[in-house]
Amino acid sequence: MIEKVTARAFANIALVKYWGKQPGFNNVPATPSISLALKSLKTITEVERIRSGKDSFFLNGSIVSKVIYRRLVEYLDFWRNNKLIDGKFIIRSHNNFPTGAGLASSSSGFAALTVALSAFSRRKIGKHQLSRFARRGSGSAARSIVGGLSALPIGADPAARLLLSGDEVPWGMVVIEVEGRTKKIGSREGMELCRRYSPYYRQWITLANKDYRKMLSALRRLDFSRVGEVAEANALAMHACMFASRPALVYWSPATIEIINSVWQWRVDGLETYFTIDAGSNVVLLCKQEDLKEAIRRASRLKNVRSAIKSLPGGPAEIIELS
Ligand code: DP6
């Protein structure tokens, strides 16, 4: 009988954003999304079966908050209620990047946990099904199961599919962590605020579907400029939907805008890079691999930048140890 499993997953950054949920309880996105998994943003999760007591969770060595605890127990209950696993577990998760700062930690977190749990299951669970399960934990995690460049469509119970494996993607990203705000309103709450209170929510959903099709077509041609343009416009549209919400949802800090302006200037100067921004103030640059070094050099020199991490594309979530 398996007692302990360690799994690894890479966080992903969306080029076409998932923002909004369909009504119901299965955490089904209202927008289709496309993302790139990043080798440098890694979660390692160890899941250990326990004989007695209750589930417990540690994130980077500390006990998780009540809110996160509830969310994780709910997720384990989903597996238990469907007779996929039984018993209780101790879960220890480590991120090698800042957690909860709009850096997609739930994507790699739930993906690593999902893959680890599958090892305890008596049933063999395919990749597709694992992606569906991970989605219930966190929508973006469905994409980290697959890794590389992956797409999560909309539908009744969607799973992510691989568009290009990490090795086939000739691009990378620079994740720029800015000084200032920490994230106060999580993605889940932010999406609900937008759905209820943003006058642009419907337009956002329509636009996201168009951007998804444009992005798929640009990716088929590996058309970097087009991919970058669509990604940038899509992120700005998502934030416009947030800004217009009443009350307003503004994740940006002054440094965010400084970076946006710098990226536009760099393009004029000949460094072709594009930005995207998740539900936070940090900015992520999409670059050709040969430009990653120059992009990180420039990003690190900007005011109010706390750190800049460059990354090549990452692969799927995997079990790395079983005992
Ligand atoms: C802005 O996957 O964190 O990063 O399903 O509620 O856990 P939940 O949301 P989550 O949302 C990600 C939002 C985003 C865009 C994206 O990754 O597509």
Side-chain angles (χ1 to χ4, degrees):
M1 194 163 171
I2 291 165
E3 295 300 328
K4 203 201 259 186
V5 179
T6 308
R8 181 212 58 213
F10 299 112
N12 67 69
I13 298 291
L15 297 171
V16 174
K17 306 292 186 193
Y18 146 47
W19 191 255
K21 297 173 195 289
Q22 289 178 35
F25 301 102
N26 298 341
N27 204 33
V28 177
T31 65
S33 57
I34 296 175
S35 66
L36 183 65
L38 297 181
K39 220 183 208 157
S40 305
L41 305 189
K42 192 168 61 179
T43 299
I44 305 272
T45 299
E46 186 190 281
V47 179
E48 188 179 349
R49 196 200 293 274
I50 47 173
R51 301 261 164 261
S52 57
K54 57 181 196 131
D55 298 316
S56 47
F57 302 95
F58 298 88
L59 181 57
N60 295 332
S62 307
I63 291 183
V64 298
S65 69
K66 274 202 181 115
V67 177
I68 299 183
Y69 183 82
R70 237 177 280 128
R71 193 163 159 188
L72 286 162
V73 170
E74 216 172 86
Y75 188 59
L76 290 186
D77 284 343
F78 162 77
W79 282 73
R80 287 188 280 246
N81 295 340
N82 284 283
K83 310 256 178 297
L84 295 161
I85 55 169
D86 49 28
K88 303 281 172 169
F89 299 88
I90 298 182
I91 294 165
R92 300 180 188 88
S93 203
H94 288 270
N95 293 329
N96 71 342
F97 59 94
T99 298
L103 280 185
S105 54
S106 67
S107 66
S108 48
F110 274 97
L113 176 60
T114 301
V115 169
L117 289 177
S118 71
F120 288 95
S121 170
R122 272 173 245 113
R123 261 198 265 157
K124 172 129 186 60
I125 311 171
K127 262 255 146 71
H128 244 74
Q129 194 62 349
L130 280 182
S131 173
R132 282 196 189 99
F133 290 169
R135 193 204 70 231
R136 289 170 181 263
S138 183
S140 52
R143 302 182 312 234
S144 278
I145 292 287
V146 176
L149 252 174
S150 60
L152 178 62
I154 47 174
D157 188 15
R161 70 184 166 93
L162 187 68
L163 300 174
L164 283 173
S165 72
D167 300 338
E168 291 170 315
V169 181
W171 312 318
M173 285 180 164
V174 174
V175 179
I176 309 173
E177 191 199 352
V178 304
E179 304 279 355
R181 292 159 97 74
T182 49
K183 187 166 162 181
K184 288 199 187 70
I185 297 182
S187 300
R188 197 154 276 203
E189 207 185 325
M191 287 180 201
E192 181 59 9
L193 270 178
C194 282
R195 188 185 67 79
R196 293 176 63 175
Y197 305 120
S198 177
Y200 295 161
Y201 185 72
R202 273 170 190 278
Q203 287 88 334
W204 155 248
I205 302 286
T206 308
L207 191 80
N209 279 284
K210 287 186 187 156
D211 284 344
Y212 181 75
R213 287 192 292 272
K214 284 182 190 167
M215 185 61 84
L216 286 176
S217 143
L219 288 172
R220 269 193 291 272
R221 290 176 278 118
L222 279 179
D223 182 343
F224 178 72
S225 306
R226 185 70 180 142
V227 167
E229 277 164 25
V230 176
E232 216 173 85
N234 180 265
L236 289 173
M238 177 183 76
H239 283 274
C241 177
M242 297 171 179
F243 290 169
S245 171
R246 300 170 187 202
L249 186 56
V250 179
Y251 284 109
W252 294 3
S253 67
T256 313
I257 300 176
E258 263 177 58
I259 300 170
I260 291 176
N261 282 314
S262 302
V263 168
W264 284 338
Q265 186 56 47
W266 296 345
R267 284 219 291 274
V268 173
D269 299 341
L271 175 68
E272 194 181 9
T273 177
Y274 298 86
F275 65 79
T276 184
I277 306 164
D278 277 345
S281 53
N282 300 320
V283 181
V284 181
L285 308 182
L286 177 71
C287 305
K288 292 180 183 157
Q289 286 182 6
E290 62 267 29
D291 289 335
L292 277 171
K293 218 169 139 192
E294 179 58 17
I296 199 159
R297 194 182 68 81
R298 293 193 192 194
S300 311
R301 279 202 325 219
L302 293 175
K303 267 193 294 166
N304 303 318
V305 165
R306 192 175 288 159
S307 70
I309 307 164
K310 71 173 183 319
S311 186
L312 295 175
E318 276 170 355
I319 291 170
I320 53 174
E321 220 179 296
L322 272 176
S323 57

